[in-house]
Amino acid sequence: MRTFSRYGTALLTAVMAGGLALSGCAGSTDSGSSTTGSDEGPITIACGAMEDLCQAWTDKFTEQTGIKATYVRLSSGETVARLASAKDNPEFDVWHGGPVDGYGEAVNQGLIEAYTSPEAAKIPDEYKDPDGNWTGVYIGALGFCSNQSQLDKLGIDAPDSWDDLLDPALKGQVSMAHPSTSGTAFTTLWTQVTRLGGEDAGMDYMKQLHNNVLQYSKSGTAPGQIAGRGEAAVGLVFSHDCVKYQEEGMTDLVVSFPEEGTGYEVGGVALVAGSSHKAAAQAYIDFAISAEGQNVGQTVGSYQVLTNPDADTSDKMANLDDINLIDYDFAAAAAAKPDLTARFDEEIAAEPKE
Amino acid sequence: MTAAPLTQTPPAKPSARGRTRVKQDPVTTTILALVLLILIFLVLLPLGRVLGEALSADGLAVLSRLASSRTNRATVLNTLVLGTVVGTVGTLVGFLLAYVQVRVAFRGKRLFHLICLLPVVSPPFAVATASITLFGRNGIISTQLLGQEWNIYGLPGLTLVLSLSFFPVAYMNLVGMLRSLDPAMEEAAASLGASKFTVFRTVTLPMVVPGLGASFLLLFTEAIADLANPLVIGGDYTVLASRAYIAINGEYNTAAGAAYSLVLLVPSLLVFLLQRYWSGRSSTVTVTGKPTGSFELLRANVARIPLLVVSVAVLALVVTVYAAVVVGAFVEILGVNNSFTLRHFEYLLSGIGNESMIDTTILALIATPIAGILGMLVAWLVVVRMRRGAALVDFLGMLGLAVPGTVIGIGYLVTFNRPVALFGVNIIAPLAGGSAIAGGAMAIVMVYVARSMPAGQRSGIASLQQIDKAIDEASTSLGASGAQTFLRVTLPLIRPAFLTGLVYAFARSMTTLSPIIFITTPHTKIMTSQILAEVDAGRFGNAFAFCTILILIVMTVIGGLNLLIRGTGAGREPR
């Protein structure tokens, strides 16, 4: 103890200072990106979809173009963190999949650059960034993913309104993700803000819902499988995730939508700023937006609604005409996100339940 | 005979002499310099970058809110409670099993040992995932068998899962220690008429106190730095590690994440200093170089039966959890649809998993000897060779484990994804990220070493503290160099600790997750991050299949290691 305080502290300070000084120098002479690869690839995708879809997308692209493409599966937050920390020497060329709220954050930080694909002309304007920073490739509507046998046990019907979720019978039976880590859960939160007409009213609703929530999971898709295994009666997820779990054997699951209106996500594709394989990356984005590229999802059980009018539809996809979608303002949502999630964390997540 | 080499200058040797001796031995000085350089490069450099982030405006904003925000205070308290509970429970369980293994007469010791090691060889979230399936709100045992509805989300679940995951660390440390105790003291006590229990309480227990302390420290730091389990089973029980993760991955705020991590360092550091002080107080020299006898095994049923019953209960729990993992790999959805299928293995072996199995194994195999030898070198320097600064070197080595994996990962990414330059000259090419040399594999090996070396270091230190310094000095005064003494005298004595270090390093490398998330590249796929992706997506079957394969790989390699180490030279055969 004495030895530590006498010499240790001095040494510790010295070494720490040394470490900091060294690290300060690190990378000060950035060699740029000229050393690796060529314009034609191979390219690397930061992929925000499930692993099998990521693999199917890249395989199909390579098959079509002959350009080698590899991917790393990352959540939106991980992608932004990695793009930000490797800004000077980007390791990715394209970001594909995951809600565009995250892309909005990347735009704010200058991590992605505009590219208007010729294919994008077909995509409706509401699913494209006006400045061409990202293009929407699929849409998912927020729904209730319920376990029928758990509902039967509780003696209630599948919820079809947001107010149904506040039923005391559902105490500890609602599973949703944490809005900080999950785009899905943030969509849920912003949906309340929009439909109830203000942040305070939205927070009030979430506060009431809190008493019925089992736990705020990290992943946006997790509540679907938590309901699928009967850990909770209702999961709040995008309906295509619920369908995917049904397809994979969780046959007790049923999908329903709130009649007051529900939020939705647009999954995007974007060019990473400073990509050293720009031509190949742009070819990939063209592919991702094309009908063939979008159709890949159905081959691995991912039934998102597709943005390309030429893409195939399936009766396993949600029919957006039958669902009451709220007027979801992505720019406003992205702008409000930091404060709103901080409030959620402070005022709701850690509160005891009644 | 005081053995407090870490903290107090032994009375017989003035510190001045210690200092000169180190100076006079160029080998020791060289080793010290080399080890320091490696440690600085592995841990301090990336950490420095992250600390820089924590002290930026965003990070300082978080730090200043720590005391004022009730939520943040609760998070800090949760973290401390979790570390203390898991440290205590895990150490007690580990000690019980180690004591039974070494001192109680029963059949099937080999099997007992293997079951105790099982949790080390698997990714921690295998336990969490299986526990939810077994004991969750619709669990196979809790609901379907017993008709209960347990809520295992939160502190109870975390305690169960983390204690189950980490008790083997305590077990391995304490088995090594109990085996190397000199039975003479116990025999003396017994021949003076002390009862078995009195011998245990007044002789055996005090001798293993440093081992218990070391285990508690390791488990405490492991528990509070663990990320996967709080995410999977933590419920609303937020700890600093998961808060930092949310800050980085949810709020896109690396600085805030770094700031929470900085707070996480404080309790780790305090426990570390406490343990150092505490172990310095008790006499621990037990390996004296004099011939030792062997222990008399406990045979009296009055003590044996209760001990065995409790141990078997613990082991049954371990076996059940892992059985769930293996069975879960072969059925559609465990607990929901229990029909047999090979679908999960087909999914993995059809291309998604093959590469990562090979990559992960090779990288872990590269990291293992480096981590094992480095850990022993640090332990040796700290306990035997150094006076001044020993505490600092020890601390530097432990940093790789004390820092949450997320922070190390971010640190590696920001530090090594570009050339490292010193005075304007690039001294090292980029090591991490997609455009790095060797596809980013070097950074992964470095993380493996940084994360797994401290365990070997701790068990090495615990083991060396028991060895009388006279043995080392005798070798030196007979003309052997530092390196010769280390290889010929010290190493054989700490062979069990070294083996523990190697086994742990390999298992740890294979199962490391949180730092890896940030530096995986398409060229080097890592199993753990793919398993988390499957757990995340709710496809437990695929995750279970992955875990089963991973466990098989680790078991095979550990078996090989055991043969290799036991097969060479005159090691002390465990009885």
Side-chain angles (χ1 to χ4, degrees), chain A residues 287-299:
Chain A
F287 159 80
I289 300 170
S290 74
E292 284 135 307
Q294 297 197 3
N295 282 339
V296 168
Q298 295 158 65
T299 63

Side-chain angles (χ1 to χ4, degrees), chain B residues 135-385:
Chain B
F135 308 115
R137 302 232 307 198
N138 193 25
I140 296 172
I141 291 179
S142 52
T143 310
Q144 296 172 19
L145 217 64
L146 302 177
Q148 301 290 310
E149 199 166 275
W150 294 336
N151 187 0
I152 61 161
Y153 298 91
L155 185 60
L158 277 175
T159 305
L160 172 78
V161 166
L162 289 174
S163 302
L164 219 55
S165 301
F166 296 135
F167 85 80
V169 182
Y171 169 81
M172 286 194 295
N173 271 336
L174 293 166
V175 161
M177 176 167 261
L178 283 169
R179 273 188 182 135
S180 53
L181 289 181
D182 186 348
M185 298 233 247
E186 290 183 28
E187 277 161 19
S191 63
L192 287 170
S195 75
K196 289 245 167 178
F197 184 69
T198 311
V199 172
F200 172 79
R201 195 170 49 81
T202 58
V203 179
T204 318
L205 204 54
M207 287 201 291
V208 294
V209 160
L212 292 175
S215 299
F216 177 83
L217 163 74
L218 253 184
L219 265 52
F220 182 94
T221 47
E222 291 255 20
I224 67 173
D226 184 76
L227 175 62
N229 291 301
L231 290 179
V232 174
I233 204 172
D236 301 326
Y237 195 82
T238 307
V239 291
L240 282 165
S242 53
R243 191 65 195 82
Y245 180 90
I246 288 173
I248 293 171
N249 292 294
E251 294 157 7
Y252 315 126
N253 192 343
T254 313
Y260 285 115
S261 312
L262 186 64
V263 182
L264 191 45
L265 267 177
V266 175
S268 301
L269 210 62
L270 281 179
V271 172
F272 180 75
L273 293 173
L274 199 75
Q275 187 266 338
R276 167 180 303 282
Y277 176 76
W278 176 35
S279 71
R281 298 252 117 175
S282 45
S283 168
T284 54
V285 170
T286 51
V287 179
T288 55
K290 294 166 205 147
T292 58
S294 58
F295 299 109
E296 199 192 323
L297 289 181
L298 193 63
R299 293 181 195 282
N301 278 343
V302 59
R304 205 171 74 122
I305 289 175
L307 284 176
L308 283 176
V309 165
V310 179
S311 308
V312 167
V314 173
L315 295 191
L317 184 64
V318 174
V319 170
T320 312
V321 166
Y322 283 91
V325 172
V326 177
V327 172
F330 288 98
V331 300
E332 287 287 341
I333 299 168
L334 188 62
V336 175
N337 177 355
N338 293 327
S339 51
F340 177 83
T341 178
L342 287 174
R343 185 166 66 91
H344 308 305
F345 287 97
E346 279 163 18
Y347 174 85
L348 298 184
L349 299 174
S350 70
I352 281 180
N354 316 30
E355 251 181 88
S356 69
M357 287 168 207
I358 296 166
D359 287 354
T360 313
T361 311
I362 290 176
L363 296 182
L365 279 177
I366 296 172
T368 301
I370 304 177
I373 292 169
L374 194 61
M376 287 306 129
L377 278 179
V378 172
W380 176 70
L381 285 171
V382 165
V383 178
V384 183
R385 286 280 139 172

Side-chain angles (χ1 to χ4, degrees), chain A residues 4 11 15 22 27 29 51-52 55 77-78 82 85-86 172 180 215 218-219 229 231 245 345-346 351 353, chain B residues 44 69-70 137-138 153 235-236 243 245 249-250 352 391-392 413 417 419 422 426 520 530 536-537 539-540:
Chain A
F4 189 85
L11 262 166
V15 176
L22 248 181
T29 54
E51 186 96 23
D52 48 356
Q55 196 185 35
E78 283 160 3
R82 278 181 76 152
S85 54
S180 285
Q215 73 164 347
K218 166 215 157 205
S219 146
R229 268 182 290 105
E231 291 284 300
Y245 290 126
D345 207 48
E346 190 77 11
E351 285 296 306
K353 284 161 185 161
Chain B
L44 216 54
S69 150
R70 196 160 53 90
R137 302 232 307 198
N138 193 25
Y153 298 91
D236 301 326
R243 191 65 195 82
Y245 180 90
N249 292 294
I352 281 180
L392 179 63
L413 185 63
N417 71 341
L422 193 59
N426 289 351
T520 48
Q530 289 195 311
D536 232 21
R539 296 189 290 211
F540 285 15

Side-chain angles (χ1 to χ4, degrees), chain A residues 1-4 7-8 11-12 15-16 18-20 22-31 36 44-45 50-52 55 70-92 101-103 105 109 147 150 153 171-174 178-182 210 213-219 221-222 225-226 228-233 244-245 248-252 300 337-338 341-342 345-347 349-353, chain B residues 6-9 15 19 40 44-45 47-49 51-52 69-72 74 132-133 136-139 143 149 151 153-154 230-236 243 245-246 248-252 254 272-273 276-277 332-334 336-337 343 347 350-352 387-389 391-392 395-396 399 410 413-415 417-427 430 432-435 516-523 525 529-530 532-540:
Chain A
M1 203 59 187
R2 255 187 342 209
T3 317
F4 189 85
Y7 309 109
L11 262 166
L12 180 71
V15 176
M16 280 284 186
L20 280 167
L22 248 181
S23 66
C25 300
S28 56
T29 54
D30 182 23
S31 67
T36 49
T44 307
I45 319 295
M50 286 196 199
E51 186 96 23
D52 48 356
Q55 196 185 35
T70 47
Y71 68 89
V72 182
R73 203 211 75 92
L74 297 167
S75 74
S76 292
E78 283 160 3
T79 310
V80 174
R82 278 181 76 152
L83 291 180
S85 54
K87 207 172 176 174
D88 306 329
N89 189 16
E91 49 180 324
F92 297 107
D101 318 31
Y103 288 62
E105 177 65 26
Q109 296 189 22
N147 185 314
Q150 292 301 110
K153 228 186 260 178
K171 186 170 169 52
Q173 294 286 353
V174 176
H178 195 295
S180 285
T181 51
S182 149
H210 180 67
V213 170
L214 169 66
Q215 73 164 347
Y216 298 101
S217 68
K218 166 215 157 205
S219 146
T221 54
Q225 50 99 354
I226 288 170
R229 268 182 290 105
E231 291 284 300
K244 192 162 168 87
Y245 290 126
E248 288 175 2
M250 293 177 166
T251 44
D252 279 345
V300 290
K337 186 170 178 180
T341 50
D345 207 48
E346 190 77 11
E347 295 170 26
E351 285 296 306
K353 284 161 185 161
Chain B
L6 285 175
T7 49
Q8 294 160 357
T9 308
S15 63
R19 245 181 295 147
I40 288 173
L44 216 54
L45 194 59
L47 202 60
R49 290 291 293 262
L51 287 187
S69 150
R70 196 160 53 90
T71 317
N72 283 347
I132 292 176
T133 314
R137 302 232 307 198
N138 193 25
T143 310
E149 199 166 275
N151 187 0
Y153 298 91
L231 290 179
V232 174
I233 204 172
D236 301 326
R243 191 65 195 82
Y245 180 90
I246 288 173
I248 293 171
N249 292 294
E251 294 157 7
Y252 315 126
T254 313
F272 180 75
L273 293 173
R276 167 180 303 282
Y277 176 76
E332 287 287 341
I333 299 168
L334 188 62
V336 175
N337 177 355
R343 185 166 66 91
Y347 174 85
S350 70
I352 281 180
R387 293 285 178 274
R388 282 180 158 196
L392 179 63
F395 170 69
L396 204 55
L399 259 188
I410 292 276
L413 185 63
V414 295
T415 310
N417 71 341
R418 56 191 93 182
V420 177
L422 193 59
F423 306 119
V425 183
N426 289 351
I427 48 171
S435 53
I516 297 300
I517 288 181
F518 293 94
I519 53 172
T520 48
T521 74
H523 314 290
K525 300 220 185 245
S529 73
Q530 289 195 311
L532 186 67
E534 295 301 319
V535 172
D536 232 21
R539 296 189 290 211
F540 285 15

Side-chain angles (χ1 to χ4, degrees), chain A residues 27-227:
Chain A
S28 56
T29 54
D30 182 23
S31 67
S33 45
S34 55
T35 45
T36 49
S38 72
D39 211 29
E40 279 80 48
I43 53 167
T44 307
I45 319 295
C47 183
M50 286 196 199
E51 186 96 23
D52 48 356
L53 182 52
C54 294
Q55 196 185 35
W57 274 339
T58 46
D59 284 356
K60 182 84 176 172
F61 170 71
T62 303
E63 185 190 312
Q64 279 197 351
T65 61
I67 302 171
K68 207 169 158 11
T70 47
Y71 68 89
V72 182
R73 203 211 75 92
L74 297 167
S75 74
S76 292
E78 283 160 3
T79 310
V80 174
R82 278 181 76 152
L83 291 180
S85 54
K87 207 172 176 174
D88 306 329
N89 189 16
E91 49 180 324
F92 297 107
D93 304 291
V94 176
W95 183 4
H96 190 193
V100 295
D101 318 31
Y103 288 62
E105 177 65 26
V107 171
N108 294 342
Q109 296 189 22
L111 305 174
I112 53 186
E113 62 183 67
Y115 166 61
T116 307
S117 162
E119 293 283 340
K122 289 180 195 146
I123 312 293
D125 284 344
E126 60 205 284
Y127 306 133
K128 286 188 289 203
D129 181 51
D131 301 323
N133 287 307
W134 49 261
T135 310
V137 290
Y138 62 78
I139 305 143
L142 194 63
F144 303 142
C145 188
S146 311
N147 185 314
Q148 191 59 54
S149 54
Q150 292 301 110
L151 290 177
D152 293 345
K153 228 186 260 178
L154 299 171
I156 54 175
D157 293 328
D160 54 13
S161 90
W162 289 108
D163 287 337
D164 284 355
L165 293 186
L166 302 179
D167 187 341
L170 281 174
K171 186 170 169 52
Q173 294 286 353
V174 176
S175 178
M176 71 172 280
H178 195 295
S180 285
T181 51
S182 149
T184 311
F186 184 72
T187 307
T188 310
L189 177 54
W190 188 254
T191 299
Q192 312 313 320
V193 172
T194 306
R195 91 182 163 90
L196 298 169
E199 295 195 1
D200 290 334
M203 290 295 282
D204 269 352
Y205 175 83
M206 298 309 283
K207 243 174 240 172
Q208 291 174 49
L209 185 61
H210 180 67
N211 285 325
N212 281 355
V213 170
L214 169 66
Q215 73 164 347
Y216 298 101
S217 68
K218 166 215 157 205
S219 146
T221 54
Q225 50 99 354
I226 288 170

